[in-house]
Amino acid sequence: MSARVRLVVRVEGVVQGVGFRPFVYSLGTRLGLSGQVGNDVDGVFVDVEGPAADVQRFLLALERDAPPLAAVERVTSAPAEPTGIAGFTIAASDPSGRRHTLVSADSATCADCLAEVADPADRRFGYPFVNCTNCGPRFTIVRDVPYDRPLTTMADFAMCAACAAEYHDPSDRRFHAQPTCCPACGPQLSMSIADAAALLHAGNVLAIKGLGGYHLAVLATDETAASTLRQRKHREDKPFAVMVSTPDDATTLVSLDETGRALLTDRRRPIVLLPRLPDAPVAASVAPGNRQLGVMLPYTPLHHLLLAEVAAPIVLTSGNASDEPIAYRDADAFDRLAGIADAFLTHDRPIHIRTDDSVVRPFLGKGTVLRRSRGYVPEPVPLPWSAPRSLLACGAELKNTFCLAQGRHAFVSHHIGDLENYETLLSFTDGIEHFGRLFGIVPELVAHDLHPEYLSTKHAKQI
């Protein structure tokens, strides 16, 4: 029998909001080790002790067997004096200190959750807000770190006894899943899925509250509805995206090769630009004069339920008028979209930060990102060197994104849009403040475009 050892371990990367603590707890328990795991402002801390061989197996498995949404960047450990304690626990989160932890991006609904939604015998049957440690909302509901329910927009939804039992059960996939909920205790829709589908079939423009903001939807085959939506949005010729239920449904609209299929089904669920079929059954006003079509798959239970009820492709475009940022707060959406939408399918889970859909296209057998937003942000772009000072890059006037950099991480923002009005500028400045708070970055250098009249340049000059 090997000697008993103790290690104090630090795990850095995207390790909060992805089921990492339950994974560590289960791993330690399975190997018969003792200790604790918890979240803090740097990531995940682990205190583990037991036979030396088992502790080494534990360390190897931390990276090799990490949860699917985790991105482990570094694991460090230091020896400590064994305490002889028994059992493994999940410790309370420690919110003190300077923040270095990373926040997970929103992820499309996993197969296990979709199976529950489709099972009439399951208590979450037909529920549009199902999620677990492997999927669901993350960045768009996070108010602060460490990633715990009280610091998300789920704070006001008290878990029922059944959800609490799952949350505290180490064998359950919802063990410490912060947004977990069910029809008895979670968010609720403002109208039924059946009513929403009927409105679309009747030719109405429907505003739908999603993960990172509101969308505007019409039947993709309805020329009158698509033309009306284009006129009301003041969007002359820019194509609309189309959502379909499955990749097979997409093959009726676009030419879909292996790369395109992989991009469509990626957990990020971006809009994928693909060659449009000459006889694609979509209205002319969806993508006038365009040889490509932006197609995406459902990425929330609400989308899956709505597409199943509609049984046809739908246009799903950003909830805004041309040149404005996507609406994400309910009162603002009701005000700004009132002249565009005929009805609203909304819910009572707040969105903390707006995030548009990402856009990609296949290129030479791989995916090229054209708009990096939902599903990608705020996961950082790794730098080949460590930034000597923290940096804010303010970006340009058109299709703006900003970037905050610190250490070996560059945090490129979600798509902001064209900085041509007050609403978009506010989205820009609010985003910079939110990223700075989440990642503990106070810029020492500010980079900006040389054009003196860009609003991004003026903001840089002000700070």
Side-chain angles (χ1 to χ4, degrees):
M1 183 176 178
S2 58
R4 187 177 180 87
V5 298
R6 177 186 170 206
L7 291 180
V8 177
V9 183
R10 163 69 53 195
V11 188
E12 299 173 37
V14 181
V15 290
Q16 293 191 12
V18 295
F20 206 87
R21 287 179 299 172
F23 156 68
V24 173
Y25 172 90
S26 298
L27 176 64
T29 302
R30 189 173 71 250
L31 293 174
L33 301 172
S34 301
Q36 64 174 348
V37 57
N39 284 344
D40 62 14
V41 292
D42 290 314
V44 168
F45 63 88
V46 185
D47 196 331
V48 60
E49 62 180 273
D54 292 333
V55 170
Q56 284 305 310
R57 280 196 285 270
F58 175 88
L59 280 180
L60 287 172
L62 277 182
E63 291 188 70
R64 184 191 63 207
D65 303 330
L69 298 187
V72 177
E73 292 189 348
R74 186 168 67 158
V75 177
T76 56
S77 62
E81 189 68 26
T83 64
I85 63 168
F88 215 99
T89 60
I90 293 182
S93 297
D94 180 5
S96 61
R98 186 175 180 183
R99 299 155 188 211
H100 299 287
T101 192
L102 303 180
V103 176
S104 173
D106 303 280
S107 186
T109 312
C110 69
D112 288 336
C113 284
L114 286 178
E116 292 176 337
V117 174
D119 182 2
D122 195 281
R123 68 189 187 90
R124 291 186 172 90
F125 173 63
Y127 185 55
F129 301 99
V130 175
N131 66 85
C132 70
T133 53
N134 296 325
C135 70
R138 296 294 189 273
F139 174 59
T140 51
I141 65 169
V142 171
R143 290 186 170 127
D144 212 336
V145 294
Y147 175 73
D148 285 312
R149 193 178 182 105
L151 296 179
T152 73
T153 61
M154 287 295 294
D156 293 335
F157 296 92
M159 280 185 278
C160 66
C163 284
E166 293 170 336
Y167 181 87
H168 292 101
D169 180 0
S171 67
D172 196 282
R173 80 174 194 281
R174 292 191 172 90
F175 183 45
H176 277 242
Q178 302 307 323
T180 193
C181 58
C182 74
C185 64
Q188 301 295 323
L189 290 179
S190 61
M191 72 169 72
S192 72
I193 298 291
D195 287 344
L199 284 166
L200 290 172
H201 276 292
N204 291 286
V205 177
L206 183 65
I208 303 171
K209 185 177 180 181
L211 266 184
Y214 278 78
H215 287 97
L216 293 164
V218 295
L219 280 187
T221 55
D222 189 332
E223 171 59 25
T224 301
S227 176
T228 298
L229 174 58
R230 188 168 290 284
Q231 292 168 12
R232 291 179 184 177
K233 269 178 68 82
H234 306 295
R235 189 165 171 169
E236 294 181 4
D237 53 11
K238 190 175 178 182
F240 293 141
V242 176
M243 180 175 277
V244 295
S245 290
T246 67
D248 287 345
D249 291 333
T251 62
T252 66
L253 307 179
V254 294
S255 176
L256 188 64
D257 61 10
E258 186 177 337
T259 303
R261 186 177 289 265
L263 292 172
L264 267 183
T265 56
D266 185 88
R267 66 174 177 84
R268 298 174 177 90
R269 291 294 195 277
I271 297 169
V272 186
L273 294 184
L274 294 163
R276 179 177 178 172
L277 296 178
D279 56 349
V282 294
S285 292
V286 170
N290 204 304
R291 290 181 293 179
Q292 292 191 315
L293 198 61
V295 180
M296 62 176 158
L297 297 182
Y299 54 86
T300 70
L302 172 56
H303 292 138
H304 282 278
L305 291 165
L306 182 61
L307 265 292
E309 187 71 26
V310 173
I314 63 170
V315 164
L316 204 68
T317 187
S318 300
N320 55 9
S322 186
D323 299 327
E324 290 183 356
I326 185 173
Y328 74 107
R329 292 193 175 105
D330 296 336
D332 180 51
F334 297 150
D335 180 49
R336 289 203 285 131
L337 303 181
I340 304 176
D342 298 304
F344 286 78
L345 173 59
T346 186
H347 58 78
D348 55 353
R349 183 181 69 203
I351 299 169
H352 187 65
I353 190 163
R354 60 165 61 92
T355 312
D356 254 315
D357 293 316
S358 296
V359 182
V360 304
R361 74 187 315 164
F363 182 71
L364 298 178
K366 296 182 179 179
T368 296
V369 179
L370 304 182
R371 186 168 80 187
R372 187 178 183 273
S373 201
R374 178 192 49 75
Y376 294 87
V377 176
E379 295 175 2
V381 176
L383 298 175
W385 62 87
S386 184
R389 285 186 281 178
S390 55
L391 170 72
L392 166 65
C394 288
E397 185 88 345
L398 301 180
K399 304 185 187 303
N400 178 272
T401 58
F402 61 84
C403 177
L404 283 163
Q406 184 166 264
R408 296 185 72 113
H409 292 143
F411 297 95
V412 182
S413 79
H414 48 296
H415 170 74
I416 302 297
D418 297 348
L419 298 182
E420 297 179 343
N421 54 52
Y422 175 75
E423 290 80 8
T424 312
L425 179 63
L426 192 61
S427 176
F428 169 77
T429 55
D430 285 351
I432 292 172
E433 187 274 332
H434 186 54
F435 270 58
R437 187 175 70 254
L438 278 185
F439 304 118
I441 300 176
V442 179
E444 299 171 75
L445 294 173
V446 180
H448 62 80
D449 195 280
L450 290 176
H451 197 300
E453 290 304 308
Y454 283 179
L455 295 181
S456 55
T457 300
K458 292 182 177 181
H459 180 74
K461 297 285 190 181
Q462 289 173 359
I463 61 174

